[in-house]
Amino acid sequence: GVVGQGESTDAAMGNVPLIDSFSRLLIGQDPLNIEAAFERIRTSGVFAGAQSGQYVAALTAVEIALWDIAGKALGLPVYQLLGGRVRQRVRVYCDSGAQEMIPGDERSKARIRQIQEMGFTAAKIDIDDATDPARFDRVNWTASNGEIDHMVAKVAFTRELYPKTFDLAVDMHARYDAGTGKRVAKEVEPFKLMWLEEPVPAENIDAMREVRASTSTPICCGENVYMRWGFREILEKRAADIIMPDFQKCGGLLEARKIADMAHTYYVPVAPHAVTSPIGMMATAHVCAAIPNFLVQEWHWIDSLDLWRNWVKEGEIIQKGYIVLPERPGIGVEMNEDGARKAQVP
Ligand code: MG
């Protein structure tokens, strides 16, 4: 009679049939043996893409639901089952959303004010722009001098409007080539960013390492990297200052803890990528409360505040830029079906 909820991201089209296919590996089993369930599902799919992608994202959702079940069955919050908490509250940074940071623009300034009024102490902006008029070629991702000037101007404008103690991260969305990545990382050095995110795609770890070695700007990557095996090479090659696994994609909460612990041996902090509902956000926060090398957790819903606040029965889970871990058993938030339906994909 115990029901658990989990969530995965970026797998909407493939999730349902994959999760249905996992049922034969779950029905009749003890849901408290989470590692065993994870290994059964993972190893049964190794010839079908279980190393990454939608398969692991679907597995992740099931794994998180099992933690919710375990917490409810044992009467403990999930963080308590992951080693207990090392912090009472989890710092959250605000992604600036669809509002581009245009130097001098009033709506951009309003967004920067809004983020501070909500109590956040860190934010992220995007500087990649496929529609930049300075682009000479619609296909290649070598930025022109004009494009790089625009990127740096966005960073300068935003950095200027936040107080010095406010942290700023900048995302390039894994789009550019290595030469561009190095040039941008060098030019934004004076702004002391919290990080520059994925200046090049994370698939070629040597290219990421090359960018990192060329600059004092901290480099962060890994939102599309899966499980321990995906992060091993990034860490071994010292390709990133900060890793950003997505806990609704990378294999689940225990997998996230394993990745974080591995990173800890390299003195690399973890700043989880997070774009999910309050259920996924809170599940992520349980791990962040339990790992020593946590830096900051993402939040991505500033453009859809009504949806965000009505998604779970508990309402708003972020208070002044922090998530306070609930004492309730399991993940500690329950879906409000009427609210969640507004986000439903037909
Ligand atoms: Mg990103």
Side-chain angles (χ1 to χ4, degrees), residues 15 31 37 47 65 102 110 126 135 141 173-174 249 258 264 290 324:
N15 253 356
F47 296 97
I102 304 162
D126 301 333
R135 273 188 86 186
W141 285 95
H173 283 121
K249 187 195 267 189
K258 290 173 181 176
H264 201 179
V324 177

Side-chain angles (χ1 to χ4, degrees), residues 124 171 173 197-198 223 244 273:
K124 184 160 82 185
D171 197 352
H173 283 121
E197 184 167 319
E198 304 202 320
E223 69 180 81
M244 47 173 306
H273 177 261

Side-chain angles (χ1 to χ4, degrees), residues 43-189:
T43 56
S44 77
V46 292
F47 296 97
Q51 292 79 4
S52 65
Q54 294 206 340
Y55 192 99
V56 178
L59 165 57
T60 298
V62 171
E63 198 260 15
I64 294 172
L66 291 174
W67 281 107
D68 196 27
I69 288 172
K72 288 168 177 169
L74 299 168
L76 290 169
V78 169
Y79 69 78
Q80 206 71 67
L81 306 176
L82 292 170
R85 65 182 177 205
V86 295
R87 57 184 62 79
Q88 304 278 346
R89 56 181 195 161
V90 168
R91 187 184 178 211
V92 177
Y93 75 90
C94 182
D95 183 275
S96 302
Q99 179 57 56
E100 202 187 338
M101 290 299 129
I102 304 162
D105 175 54
E106 287 307 318
R107 280 175 312 167
S108 306
K109 290 180 187 171
R111 177 53 54 93
I112 289 169
R113 273 197 306 275
Q114 181 189 6
I115 290 171
Q116 291 179 86
E117 283 162 12
M118 291 172 80
F120 289 102
T121 56
K124 184 160 82 185
I125 63 166
D126 301 333
I127 58 168
D128 56 303
D129 183 1
T131 62
D132 190 322
R135 273 188 86 186
F136 292 115
D137 186 293
R138 295 289 110 188
V139 180
N140 83 39
W141 285 95
T142 307
S144 67
N145 285 341
E147 285 177 87
I148 292 179
D149 286 350
H150 294 160
M151 292 184 200
V152 175
K154 286 176 186 175
V155 176
F157 163 74
T158 312
R159 183 63 275 183
E160 174 81 6
L161 288 175
Y162 282 119
K164 276 203 161 63
T165 52
F166 191 99
D167 283 325
L168 182 65
V170 171
D171 197 352
M172 292 175 73
H173 283 121
R175 285 180 142 161
Y176 294 90
D177 61 25
T180 301
K182 282 192 281 191
R183 288 187 62 196
V184 173
K186 178 64 78 183
E187 294 214 22
V188 298
E189 282 177 359

